[in-house]
Amino acid sequence: TVDVLVRLGAAYEALGRLDEAKATIEKAIALDPRAAAAHAALGNIALNRGDLLGAERSLKLALAQGEAPNVLILQGRLAVAHSDKVTAFDAFDKLLVQAARAPRIRYMYADAAYTLGDFERARVHAKACLDLDAKAELCQALLAKLNNR
């Protein structure tokens, strides 16, 4: 199924096997060209390769199906790559409405804010991440970096 192929593609991506990840996700899209998760996954692979145009094409196709969390993550990451604070923060704010209790989402927001130079916003979300999971090492490290500024 499409979901299985998307998950397999994500596993390949996590292993750094981007060519296999891309081919697997493209099979998912061939099965269901409207699969937002597959387009978002393909966009993340493109973004990880530095292919901003490919990521933008995938984002456009994914957004046509709605604003699922993985689509908003891609939108936020792509906006950070373009140094677009407004779009990045809008995407992460929408994501928080859907997944406010997810430490990973809080960390991603904090990291994006840090990258974009909004250190107060980064601090707020890094602290929120730690409130949700006191052992979140990435959040601890980011907060330490912020406190050393």
Side-chain angles (χ1 to χ4, degrees):
T1 68
V2 171
D3 187 48
V4 170
L5 289 170
V6 170
R7 289 174 193 246
L8 180 58
Y12 284 138
E13 183 181 12
L15 293 170
R17 296 163 57 180
L18 296 182
D19 290 336
E20 289 170 271
K22 183 177 183 235
T24 303
I25 299 300
E26 287 172 341
K27 287 179 188 175
I29 291 170
L31 286 175
D32 182 2
R34 294 173 38 119
H39 287 292
L42 190 61
N44 277 308
I45 292 167
L47 191 56
N48 289 340
R49 287 182 158 173
D51 177 8
L52 298 183
L53 291 177
E56 289 167 2
R57 278 192 302 274
S58 293
L59 176 62
K60 183 177 179 180
L61 292 166
L63 280 172
Q65 306 309 316
E67 293 182 334
N70 54 351
V71 176
L72 291 169
I73 289 169
L74 174 59
Q75 185 178 35
R77 290 185 65 220
L78 188 56
V80 170
H82 285 297
S83 299
D84 179 353
K85 285 184 183 183
V86 172
T87 302
F89 296 155
D90 182 58
F92 285 111
D93 285 338
K94 288 177 182 176
L95 190 55
L96 284 180
V97 170
Q98 298 179 30
R101 307 245 352 121
R104 176 176 164 256
I105 301 304
R106 290 289 184 165
Y107 170 74
M108 292 171 71
Y109 199 153
D111 187 55
Y114 183 87
T115 300
L116 293 170
D118 189 333
F119 303 119
E120 187 53 37
R121 189 182 301 243
R123 185 172 282 104
V124 165
H125 291 288
K127 285 180 180 177
C129 174
L130 289 174
D131 288 344
L132 295 168
D133 179 1
K135 295 180 182 177
E137 292 176 11
L138 291 173
C139 297
Q140 290 173 347
L142 182 56
L143 198 54
K145 198 163 41 170
L146 285 160
N147 289 336
N148 289 329
R149 287 195 49 76

